Amino acid sequence: MAAAALDILAIAAHRDDVEQTCGGALLKMAQRGYRTGILDLTQGEMGTRGTAEDRAREAEEAARILQVSWRQALDIPDGRVENTWENRMKVVRVIREQRPRVVILPYWQGRHPDHYTCSTLGYEACFLAGLAKLDRNPGAAVEGHGFSRAESGPETVGASAPEGAQLPPHRPFKILYATLYHDVRPTFVVDISEQFETRFQALMAYKTQFSDQEAGSGIFPAQAQIRARIEAMARYYGMLGGVDYAEPFLQKEVGLVEDLTAIPVKSI
Ligand SMILES: [Zn+2]
């Protein structure tokens, strides 16, 4: 019945975020046989160009190009990603359904509030998804905000709990932060030299956003400019890792090393 668990789930605020921040790494992992997935919190209805339906079609095409096994968009309002109990439970449901070992989140600081809020929301959802008793008494077990307690006894609590609370608990082993949107030094980079071109094609699948056109030409750079920008970033992080193109990531934990002679990236 249940599909196989995902090895890696990337969670982002907007459709096309993952394509810009960690699409190369996702593709690389898929090419190695891992099951990858993307959860977009919003559907892109606030976009200057195109409708939410256009974005859905484009996101599906981008997912195909990146060889992801699973992709879904939640119904959190675009431009209003808030770290509420209700929104956390929507992400908890996905984490419990898809059971990823690794979750990739955006970095927790940045220009766009949806991005940094997605980071905190995603982290807290990963924590909550692992709580065995989440379904027993969700109002009191963690916090009371935004959740209406059942009026009668415990037998109705389960019924009133959000969908995800009734699935078996699951906590991802690893949380990684994709840092591309923020100027912070990554703890490691993933070599995407062989995936760079395909990742760029995935981004270009968002035709309503990135093809050269009149509407919104004041805010949207031309395709050639986008290409130059994307390439410059990938080359910069590639340089840090001693490869052609790379994507930057940060982990809060320290690295664990077994063999000092096998650590990559040249020092001098
Ligand atoms: Zn975004």
Side-chain angles (χ1 to χ4, degrees):
M1 280 257 297
L6 289 177
D7 295 301
I8 304 164
L9 173 66
I11 302 177
H14 314 113
R15 285 163 163 169
D16 86 15
D17 282 349
V18 161
E19 286 78 0
Q20 298 183 62
T21 60
C22 60
L26 281 187
L27 174 60
K28 185 170 185 158
M29 293 302 101
Q31 288 169 339
R32 292 185 167 207
Y34 291 107
R35 290 192 85 239
T36 61
I38 300 171
L39 176 68
D40 306 302
L41 299 186
T42 68
Q43 303 191 4
E45 69 276 11
M46 292 293 279
T48 309
R49 293 166 161 182
T51 62
E53 292 71 41
D54 291 330
R55 307 298 302 276
R57 235 178 304 107
E58 293 165 348
E60 205 175 304
E61 173 61 6
R64 191 190 61 74
I65 295 171
L66 294 177
Q67 298 177 25
V68 306
S69 303
W70 182 91
R71 185 173 206 163
Q72 207 177 73
L74 295 179
D75 58 357
I76 296 173
D78 189 3
R80 248 192 66 194
V81 172
E82 291 168 346
N83 186 8
T84 60
W85 174 259
E86 194 191 353
N87 287 345
R88 288 196 292 274
M89 289 310 294
K90 289 176 183 179
V91 179
V92 164
R93 176 181 59 77
V94 171
I95 291 169
R96 288 184 164 192
E97 277 171 4
Q98 302 304 322
R99 313 183 73 74
R101 175 175 171 86
V102 178
V103 165
I104 301 175
L105 298 172
Y107 187 63
W108 58 87
Q109 284 181 290
R111 185 187 64 88
H112 198 313
D114 280 0
H115 295 165
Y116 59 73
T117 306
C118 171
S119 187
T120 318
L121 195 168
Y123 176 88
E124 292 178 9
C126 287
F127 182 85
L128 293 172
L131 289 179
K133 294 180 177 172
L134 190 60
D135 63 329
R136 302 254 180 100
N137 200 345
V142 187
E143 60 171 71
H145 309 301
F147 196 88
S148 53
R149 294 280 304 278
E151 288 100 65
S152 45
E155 70 277 6
T156 62
V157 171
S160 69
E163 237 184 301
Q166 290 156 39
L167 295 163
H170 175 79
R171 188 167 288 155
F173 177 80
K174 193 60 153 177
I175 297 176
L176 300 174
Y177 297 89
T179 62
L180 192 104
Y181 283 157
H182 192 64
D183 185 19
V184 60
R185 191 170 175 85
T187 45
F188 67 91
V189 298
V190 173
D191 179 0
I192 60 154
S193 303
E194 284 173 22
Q195 289 76 26
F196 178 77
E197 286 304 331
T198 313
R199 186 194 68 166
F200 188 72
Q201 292 315 311
L203 186 61
M204 291 305 108
Y206 292 89
K207 292 195 179 70
T208 57
Q209 306 303 301
F210 296 115
S211 54
D212 295 337
Q213 54 186 295
E214 271 308 297
S217 57
I219 18 172
F220 290 91
Q223 202 176 111
Q225 250 179 302
I226 297 168
R227 165 87 196 191
R229 197 184 292 176
I230 299 267
E231 192 168 342
M233 295 299 274
R235 279 214 182 267
Y236 170 69
Y237 289 111
M239 185 196 68
L240 295 185
V243 298
D244 287 343
Y245 297 110
E247 282 171 346
F249 293 88
L250 187 141
Q251 64 168 3
K252 289 177 178 171
E253 303 76 35
V254 296
L256 175 67
V257 168
E258 202 61 49
D259 181 345
L260 297 181
T261 69
I263 306 174
V265 185
K266 203 162 89 174
S267 299
I268 50 175

